[in-house]
């Protein structure tokens, strides 16, 4: 079982222990029920918050599976994902993937936001890999919206169904001058 918000839980346990110990006799018997109700409300709040975080983590795990499957589909070798900070399971999860001279490092948070850095082969080849990934994610129902303007549309020369570069008559007949 994952423990979300351990500090809040530790604080609640301290407060409950203090209530049970009756503050060393300093608490009046009439204040105990009120303090117990406050503890119950705090426990409910901690429980609800943990359930929300757990649901977001499950959604993030689904997104992680889609990202990993999409990267593999376009030819990347993907390492096991890991928490950026092991003590914060509600923090970012990091995915690293490689393909020949290319590398992708992606971070996924609980808001379904993916920040990725694609590096390696310069020019259109890396953009092609990114757009292949975007299409693979779309086939899984995930909408990927790049923030970089040059990645918002697949370049015309590599769009599916694009025509070859036009050539003059000499090149079509095979003559060179």
């Amino acid at each position: 079982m994952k423990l979300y918000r351990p500090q809040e839980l530790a604080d609640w346990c301290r407060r409950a222990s203090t209530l049970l110990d009756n503050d060393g006799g300093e608490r009046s018997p009439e204040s105990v029920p009120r303090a117990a109700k406050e503890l119950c409300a705090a426990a409910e709040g901690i429980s609800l918050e943990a359930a929300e975080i757990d649901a977001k983590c499950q959604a993030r795990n689904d997104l992680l599976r889609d990202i990993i499957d999409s990267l593999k589909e376009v030819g990347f070798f993907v390492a096991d994902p890991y928490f950026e900070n092991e003590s914060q399971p509600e923090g970012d999860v990091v995915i690293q993937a490689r393909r020949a001279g290319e590398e992708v490092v992606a971070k996924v948070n609980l808001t379904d936001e993916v920040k990725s850095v694609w590096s390696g082969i310069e020019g259109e080849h890396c953009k092609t890999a990114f757009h292949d990934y975007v299409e693979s994610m779309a086939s899984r129902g995930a909408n990927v919206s790049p923030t970089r303007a040059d990645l918002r549309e697949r370049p015309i020369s590599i769009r599916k169904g694009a025509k070859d570069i036009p050539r003059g008559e000499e090149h079509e007949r095979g003559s060179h001058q």
Side-chain angles (χ1 to χ4, degrees):
M1 179 174 131
K2 293 178 187 166
L3 184 59
Y4 302 110
R5 304 294 192 240
Q7 187 57 44
E8 286 88 344
L9 179 60
D11 181 53
W12 184 90
C13 289
R14 182 192 49 75
R15 289 175 50 204
S17 180
T18 300
L19 178 64
L20 290 173
D21 293 343
N22 195 21
D23 287 337
E26 296 176 16
R27 186 181 297 269
S28 69
E30 298 82 32
S31 67
V32 172
R34 186 181 72 245
K37 285 180 184 178
E38 289 173 3
L39 278 172
C40 288
E44 186 174 335
I46 292 170
S47 178
L48 288 173
E49 187 176 346
E52 286 176 16
I53 292 170
D54 191 55
K56 288 178 181 180
C57 285
Q58 293 303 319
R60 178 185 60 194
N61 288 346
D62 291 341
L63 179 59
L64 287 167
R65 276 189 284 283
D66 287 343
I67 292 169
I68 291 167
D69 290 346
S70 293
L71 287 169
K72 286 180 178 179
E73 187 175 296
V74 296
F76 282 87
F77 293 97
V78 183
D80 289 338
Y82 59 91
F83 291 111
E84 185 172 48
N85 182 341
E86 194 67 37
S87 66
Q88 291 181 326
E90 69 273 14
D92 289 350
V93 174
V94 180
I95 300 172
Q96 292 181 310
R98 291 187 180 274
R99 177 178 77 175
E102 298 171 281
E103 180 181 26
V104 176
V105 177
K107 292 181 181 182
V108 184
N109 63 28
L110 292 183
T111 64
D112 291 337
E113 180 179 79
V114 179
K115 293 181 181 178
S116 61
V117 176
W118 293 64
S119 57
I121 300 172
E122 294 295 323
E124 300 303 310
H125 183 73
C126 193
K127 289 180 183 180
T128 300
F130 177 76
H131 285 284
D132 290 343
Y133 159 77
V134 169
E135 289 171 6
S136 179
M137 288 294 287
S139 72
R140 290 170 168 74
N143 181 25
V144 176
S145 302
T147 55
R148 282 182 32 193
D150 63 326
L151 291 176
R152 291 200 180 116
E153 278 191 40
R154 184 182 278 272
I156 292 172
S157 63
I158 55 175
R159 285 188 192 144
K160 287 186 176 181
K163 295 181 180 179
D164 284 338
I165 297 172
R167 299 176 185 214
E169 286 184 38
E170 301 87 38
H171 287 109
E172 288 180 11
R173 286 181 276 161
S175 64
H176 300 282
Q177 291 183 346

